[in-house]
Amino acid sequence: PIFIDSETLFDLKKLRPTVRNGQNLVLLLTPQVLTRPWCLVEIVEAMLNAQSVVPVEVQRPGAAFKYPEESFYADLRDGKVLDSQGMSILLQEKISLKDVEEALRKLFRLIASPYSPHKTINVRHAEMQDILSRCRVD
């Protein structure tokens, strides 16, 4: 089975168990992904449970993902990355900003695969093959 959180998850209480029980977390690196609290919950859960995480850099003109630098982590620690609702979600999930930072630092030690939705079918096919080859299948 394939879990796509934006399409199949209607009860957020099932998010963490769904990530924990999955084999892979394919993380689409888009400009706002690190400011979305539920995405951070997924990343932390996957990293805490040694799940296979496959970062995928979505490459679209004008919508580049910016890899976090030290200033991002400082802003994260200072509570400047998430709004009050996002912070509340992390608190509710018992996830600290330290947990988020550790998970992100671990995540970004991995090499991201590219995915270019605007390129030719042959390029997209090759990129998808690379992404799928990095996924663990038991």
Side-chain angles (χ1 to χ4, degrees), residues 52-125:
S52 171
V53 179
V54 180
V56 176
E57 184 178 344
V58 179
Q59 299 181 341
R60 290 186 312 234
F65 175 74
K66 185 174 187 257
Y67 286 88
E69 298 176 350
E70 286 306 313
S71 60
F72 170 85
Y73 293 112
D75 286 347
L76 178 69
R77 287 189 299 271
D78 292 341
K80 297 177 184 175
V81 172
L82 297 173
D83 61 18
S84 60
Q85 184 180 4
M87 294 295 289
S88 176
I89 289 169
L90 292 184
L91 184 63
Q92 170 188 321
E93 293 297 318
K94 297 178 177 53
I95 293 175
S96 70
L97 293 176
K98 182 180 178 187
D99 295 332
V100 173
E101 180 177 355
E102 288 174 1
L104 292 176
R105 286 186 183 276
K106 189 174 179 182
L107 167 69
F108 290 114
R109 288 187 201 123
L110 302 172
I111 296 173
S113 293
Y115 182 70
S116 310
H118 65 287
K119 294 211 174 160
T120 67
I121 188 81
N122 290 338
V123 170
R124 292 192 319 265
H125 180 74

Side-chain angles (χ1 to χ4, degrees), residues 28-74:
L28 301 180
L29 301 176
T30 58
Q32 299 302 315
V33 70
L34 300 182
T35 63
R36 294 187 173 134
W38 289 110
C39 293
L40 296 175
V41 170
E42 291 178 32
I43 294 166
V44 170
E45 188 66 26
M47 291 306 201
L48 286 175
N49 290 283
Q51 295 290 57
S52 171
V53 179
V54 180
V56 176
E57 184 178 344
V58 179
Q59 299 181 341
R60 290 186 312 234
F65 175 74
K66 185 174 187 257
Y67 286 88
E69 298 176 350
E70 286 306 313
S71 60
F72 170 85
Y73 293 112

